[in-house]
Amino acid sequence: MSRLRFDISMSLDGYVAGPNASVDVPLGEGGEQLHEWIFGLASWRDPHGLEGGETGPDDAVIQESLEATGAVLMGRKMFSGGQGPWADDPNRDGWWGDDPPFRKPVFILTHHARETVTYANGTSFTFVTDGIESALEQAREAAAEKDVSIGGGADAAQQYLAAGLVDELELHVVPVLLGGGVRLFDRLGGSPPLLELTRVVDSPTVTHLRYGAIR
Amino acid sequence: MSRLRFDISMSLDGYVAGPNASVDVPLGEGGEQLHEWIFGLASWRDPHGLEGGETGPDDAVIQESLEATGAVLMGRKMFSGGQGPWADDPNRDGWWGDDPPFRKPVFILTHHARETVTYANGTSFTFVTDGIESALEQAREAAAEKDVSIGGGADAAQQYLAAGLVDELELHVVPVLLGGGVRLFDRLGGSPPLLELTRVVDSPTVTHLRYGAIR
């Protein structure tokens, strides 16, 4: 059965978004620092329609993750645009444009039923209204032999973590202190999973820590 | 001038002690998992009067830190025994016994003036009542060419971090999720320091992440 994994950029003090997020500052104050390391990478630029880019250890981590992923799970706010004024419009097509960078099936956790939307590049958005386990089951079927990845946001990752369903997590730890915002590890409930450190990759700008869950 | 540094064991979700600390569970629920990696090391066993122990990357990190440290800063609760019934007795000699494992001058942040206590092994406890900057100044003088290290607890580290006085921090990230407790990065105030990742050392049980502060 395909594994459930996620990887996410996190500040050293544990935040995946900065404080005081708003329409103008969707990642919160300082939150953009969490993602700067990725924009120059070849593995990020390619699915976003950009040529070139850096290769190296950071790029290899991302490339490997993309290749291993057969389907994506996503929270509804992540899909529809976070803090934007459109975030509460459940019919909005997201902020992903006509060439969404996923190129694989995406399953969105929502309370609002909609028809599946498909794109020429292989991306599809399927809206799942009957809970995180159902979404995972559908994503596993779509992923076949590959992994299912949680594409964000933090609340979706927290729900799967709290339910004990995550097989692997990889944190991209960025050397900044945000001092506030959205913590990744929050609302985990009473019995957090046991973890095993399985890989460390580091570069001057980010440290990739991979953990497996021990059942 | 000698640098101010600290190193501390932290769970992956950012805690340096578990939830519900008490007399019987001084490190909080699950908190002992943060420190298990260190007790078997030769560099830990030696100053605690024990022979033998493991060598390897974890041991080298601790050994290097001990050798670089010329004086120690410590919060009063850390000195006097954390959650114990004695913690509020400012005259208690701490829980360190007759052979405290520091073997160098220790400066304790307190509101209660006391005479300095000295031990045959080179440890001294000096009680500083006029604030963190005064304590740092005294520790720097005692450390001469070596570093000043913050020996804990989290509140002392937080005060020095918030004041922008820390030159280097090294986190020993342990692959556990505690789900609650005392967070290291808390109450940092409005402008946390910029950081630069300067070294990564990893072993199967713990990841040592060293950061320098950029002024």
Side-chain angles (χ1 to χ4, degrees), chain A residues 11-195:
Chain A
S11 70
L12 186 57
D13 51 352
Y15 296 101
V16 294
N20 305 316
S22 67
V23 177
D24 296 330
V25 192
L27 298 171
E29 293 164 12
E32 73 288 350
Q33 299 172 84
L34 298 178
H35 304 286
E36 283 165 355
W37 66 275
I38 204 172
F39 299 134
L41 303 181
S43 54
W44 188 88
R45 294 174 59 86
D46 173 54
H48 288 82
L50 302 166
E51 291 185 4
E54 300 158 27
T55 56
D58 297 335
D59 186 63
V61 166
I62 296 301
Q63 188 62 39
E64 182 186 12
S65 171
L66 289 174
E67 286 172 5
T69 300
V72 176
L73 292 164
M74 187 175 286
R76 204 264 302 159
K77 278 196 175 178
M78 178 81 181
F79 168 70
S80 63
Q83 303 292 325
W86 50 80
D88 289 322
D89 174 3
N91 284 311
R92 185 181 151 85
D93 272 349
W95 53 358
W96 302 105
D98 296 329
D99 186 24
F102 306 101
R103 303 181 180 178
K104 53 196 66 162
V106 181
F107 295 84
I108 292 135
L109 305 165
T110 178
H111 296 290
H112 187 87
R114 285 182 59 184
E115 292 294 313
T116 296
V117 186
T118 60
Y119 295 82
N121 73 7
T123 302
S124 62
F125 292 129
T126 299
F127 301 85
V128 181
T129 58
D130 53 349
I132 64 170
E133 301 207 18
S134 169
L136 175 56
E137 197 175 316
Q138 294 178 53
R140 279 205 164 115
E141 192 162 330
E145 297 302 303
K146 292 193 170 188
D147 293 341
V148 174
S149 176
I150 305 170
D155 51 350
Q158 285 165 0
Q159 287 181 59
Y160 281 104
L161 273 174
L165 293 169
V166 174
D167 299 298
E168 184 176 277
L169 54 156
E170 182 153 15
L171 303 178
H172 312 297
V173 181
V174 178
V176 297
L177 296 173
L178 294 183
V182 179
R183 290 198 191 269
L184 173 61
F185 295 111
D186 212 353
R187 302 181 295 176
L188 287 188
S191 53
L194 294 173
L195 299 177

Side-chain angles (χ1 to χ4, degrees), chain A residues 10 12-13 33 169 171 173 175 177-179 183 185-186 188 192-193 195 197 200 202-204 207 209 211, chain B residues 10 12-13 169 171 173 175 177-179 183 185-186 188 192-195 197 200 202-204 207 209 211:
Chain A
M10 186 178 91
L12 186 57
D13 51 352
Q33 299 172 84
L169 54 156
L171 303 178
V173 181
L177 296 173
L178 294 183
R183 290 198 191 269
F185 295 111
D186 212 353
L188 287 188
L195 299 177
L197 178 70
V200 175
D202 66 287
S203 78
T207 312
L209 304 179
Y211 298 89
Chain B
M10 186 178 91
L12 185 58
D13 51 351
L169 55 155
L171 303 178
V173 181
L177 297 173
L178 294 183
R183 289 198 192 269
F185 295 111
D186 210 354
L188 287 186
L194 295 173
L195 299 177
L197 178 70
V200 175
D202 66 287
S203 78
T207 312
L209 304 178
Y211 298 89

Side-chain angles (χ1 to χ4, degrees), chain B residues 6-152:
Chain B
F6 73 89
D7 59 290
I8 195 164
S9 291
M10 186 178 91
S11 69
L12 185 58
D13 51 351
Y15 296 99
V16 295
N20 305 317
S22 67
V23 177
D24 295 328
V25 192
L27 299 171
E29 292 165 12
E32 74 287 351
Q33 298 172 83
L34 298 176
H35 304 287
E36 283 165 357
W37 66 273
I38 204 171
F39 299 135
L41 303 180
S43 54
W44 188 87
R45 293 174 59 87
D46 174 52
H48 288 82
L50 301 167
E51 292 185 2
E54 301 157 28
T55 56
D58 297 335
D59 186 65
V61 165
I62 296 301
Q63 188 61 39
E64 181 186 14
S65 171
L66 289 173
E67 286 172 6
T69 300
V72 175
L73 292 164
M74 188 175 287
R76 203 264 303 158
K77 277 197 177 177
M78 177 81 182
F79 168 70
S80 63
Q83 304 291 328
W86 50 80
D88 289 321
D89 174 4
N91 284 311
R92 188 182 148 86
D93 274 349
W95 53 359
W96 302 106
D98 296 329
D99 186 25
F102 306 102
R103 302 181 180 177
K104 52 196 67 162
V106 180
F107 295 84
I108 292 134
L109 305 165
T110 178
H111 296 290
H112 186 87
R114 287 182 58 185
E115 292 294 312
T116 296
V117 185
T118 60
Y119 295 83
N121 73 6
T123 301
S124 63
F125 292 129
T126 299
F127 301 84
V128 181
T129 59
D130 54 349
I132 63 170
E133 301 208 16
S134 169
L136 175 56
E137 196 175 316
Q138 294 178 54
R140 279 205 164 113
E141 192 161 329
E145 298 301 304
K146 292 194 171 187
D147 294 340
V148 174
S149 175
I150 306 170

